[in-house]
Amino acid sequence: MSNVLRLLGAAVLALTLAGCSMPQPAFKNTDVTGADCCRDFRLTDHNGKTRTLADFRGKAVVIFFGYTQCPDVCPTTLAEMKAALGQLGADAQRVQVLFVTLDPERDTRELLANYVSAFDPSFLGMYADLETTAKTAKEFRIFYQKNAGPTPTSYTLDHTAGSYVIDPQGRVRLFVRHGDGGANLAADLRSLLNQG
């Protein structure tokens, strides 16, 4: 009988605590809050400044890994991010979009600057050497693989097509699927920004 009373007491306590907790938003994209990844990076932006995730504390960060010669996924994703920011109005200033190249052999600082700026002047292109790129991709669970082309410099890259959203406190919160046009991303960013 005492075991039954203990279980009943534990159940009542759990329900009481659950009633006191803050409601969590229902995200449109995949909630990865608490995932053991995406903790930090050390990359150079297209202005030549070394950056870490801490530099963007206070803003929601949307981070996407790709390459400038990508024929479809990368430009579409950046266009969707631009559309999402357009739906946020003034809150767009509280979001930082980062495009991390997986192709530092071809994506020079100047090329990255021109590429991301064509979508939005606030976007930052990020790069590193091959070793740091691989380490960062691993930390963010990004798959990528080089596919040989007809010449040594005309290769393509297969790569993960999704993005991550880091909240203003620097915690990974969302994995964003490619191809929603930006509406779901905008809704999720608004929810995160409203949390403070």
Side-chain angles (χ1 to χ4, degrees), residues 163-183:
S163 308
Y164 285 101
V165 176
I166 312 297
D167 71 15
Q169 289 75 41
R171 302 169 301 197
V172 64
R173 298 298 299 275
L174 298 169
F175 181 77
V176 179
R177 296 172 298 280
H178 165 73
D180 84 340

Side-chain angles (χ1 to χ4, degrees), residues 44-151:
T44 304
D45 71 21
H46 69 249
N47 298 308
K49 184 175 181 181
T50 301
R51 301 284 200 152
T52 66
L53 199 50
D55 292 325
F56 305 104
R57 194 65 49 93
K59 289 187 172 189
V61 176
V62 185
I63 184 166
F64 176 72
F65 290 74
Y67 67 116
T68 63
Q69 295 186 44
C70 178
D72 45 28
V73 170
C74 299
T76 304
T77 298
L78 291 175
E80 289 175 349
M81 290 179 185
K82 171 68 173 175
L85 292 186
Q87 295 174 46
L88 291 176
D91 280 340
Q93 295 176 4
R94 298 170 57 205
V95 177
Q96 181 62 63
V97 172
L98 304 178
F99 176 81
V100 180
T101 183
L102 295 168
D103 188 15
E105 294 174 286
R106 294 183 298 187
D107 286 347
T108 64
R109 176 177 154 185
E110 295 77 16
L111 184 57
L112 279 169
N114 291 332
Y115 185 74
V116 298
S117 297
F119 294 94
D120 191 285
S122 73
F123 291 5
L124 288 175
M126 311 292 285
Y127 67 96
D129 58 34
L130 286 170
E131 182 181 348
T132 303
T133 299
K135 179 181 171 186
T136 306
K138 183 177 180 181
E139 171 63 25
F140 282 77
R141 297 184 183 167
I142 299 297
F143 163 84
Y144 68 107
Q145 174 181 294
K146 187 185 283 191
N147 298 310
T151 68

